[in-house]
Amino acid sequence: MNQIWRNEHAAVWLARLDEIAPADFFHLLSPDEIARVQTYGDPVLRSGFIVRRGLLRQLLTEQLGHSPDFIYTELKKPMLAKGELHFSIAKCPSLALFAISETHAVGVDVENVDRVKASEEFLRDHLTRAERLVVGEHVARAWVRKEACAKALGLGLSRPLSEYDVRPLDAPQTTVRAGGRILQVYDLPVPGGSVGAVAIALPNAG
């Protein structure tokens, strides 16, 4: 796992899932995580969860100096019981991203470009009218930026992603206003064939 991006508010790490053995991380899981793993009938889903949650626990332990305890939001998003750090995780078939901030709510997303293109007609329903003019890789970039914003705000897909205007898509970063908040959004240097983005929710002014 390598750190691929950071600024004064947050940092992002990348892991190549196909290079990591699940057995190396199973011992890091909590009893409730082990019980969850056992509900997965698909071995690929089971292995992916073990690796991602094990890497997350390892990374948070390094940052905190102790093993993390998770609680879960109504949207089943994990967060630290004591609230020492903000974090977000994302995955596509062969990659995982982990974003951590000491001070700001943060969201991260990654997608395979070809996979997004295959669903482009569906995804266009989540674009603003102006964003619907974009094509190709810009659609994938718009999608991961929107997903990152939704995660940073803790909303998941409970609100339409068309509420997030993430232009300009040909610039490496942008400012998004949504849900009464301001978010700084940055494209991430992920391996070719994929796109990634991190969103940082700035504190409410006043």
Side-chain angles (χ1 to χ4, degrees), residues 87-196:
F87 68 88
S88 178
I89 61 177
K91 65 178 177 67
C92 65
S94 61
L95 303 173
L97 296 179
F98 305 83
I100 293 179
S101 174
E102 294 183 1
T103 54
H104 293 62
V106 64
V108 70
D109 194 52
V110 62
E111 291 289 351
N112 177 272
V113 173
D114 288 340
R115 184 179 178 185
V116 173
K117 286 181 178 179
S119 305
E120 187 170 325
E121 184 175 348
F122 163 75
L123 297 182
R124 286 185 176 278
D125 291 338
H126 298 279
L127 303 181
T128 66
R129 182 176 298 179
E131 289 168 348
R132 288 176 189 148
L133 299 175
V134 305
V135 295
E137 187 171 319
H138 281 326
V139 175
R141 182 166 289 112
W143 178 258
V144 295
R145 287 182 176 186
K146 289 169 181 283
E147 282 265 31
C149 287
K151 290 181 179 181
L153 295 175
L155 300 175
L157 297 179
S158 63
R159 294 178 62 171
L161 294 185
S162 57
E163 292 185 8
Y164 308 99
D165 188 334
V166 295
R167 295 174 297 153
L169 293 167
D170 56 355
Q173 66 183 77
T174 189
T175 299
V176 176
R177 290 169 174 80
R181 302 290 296 276
I182 296 176
L183 304 101
Q184 294 292 340
V185 185
Y186 303 87
D187 295 335
L188 295 172
V190 296
S194 299
V195 289

Side-chain angles (χ1 to χ4, degrees), residues 40-110:
Y40 290 137
D42 187 332
V44 175
L45 292 178
R46 187 163 57 245
S47 296
F49 178 84
I50 292 170
V51 171
R52 292 191 307 275
R53 193 55 64 89
L55 286 170
L56 176 63
R57 284 188 168 277
Q58 185 180 72
L59 184 57
L60 290 174
T61 298
E62 292 173 358
Q63 302 295 310
L64 294 167
H66 61 80
S67 181
D69 292 319
F70 295 131
I71 57 175
Y72 297 87
T73 68
E74 292 182 1
L75 297 175
K76 298 184 179 181
K77 175 185 176 181
M79 58 187 297
L80 290 173
K82 296 181 180 179
E84 301 107 316
L85 295 172
H86 303 273
F87 68 88
S88 178
I89 61 177
K91 65 178 177 67
C92 65
S94 61
L95 303 173
L97 296 179
F98 305 83
I100 293 179
S101 174
E102 294 183 1
T103 54
H104 293 62
V106 64
V108 70
D109 194 52
V110 62

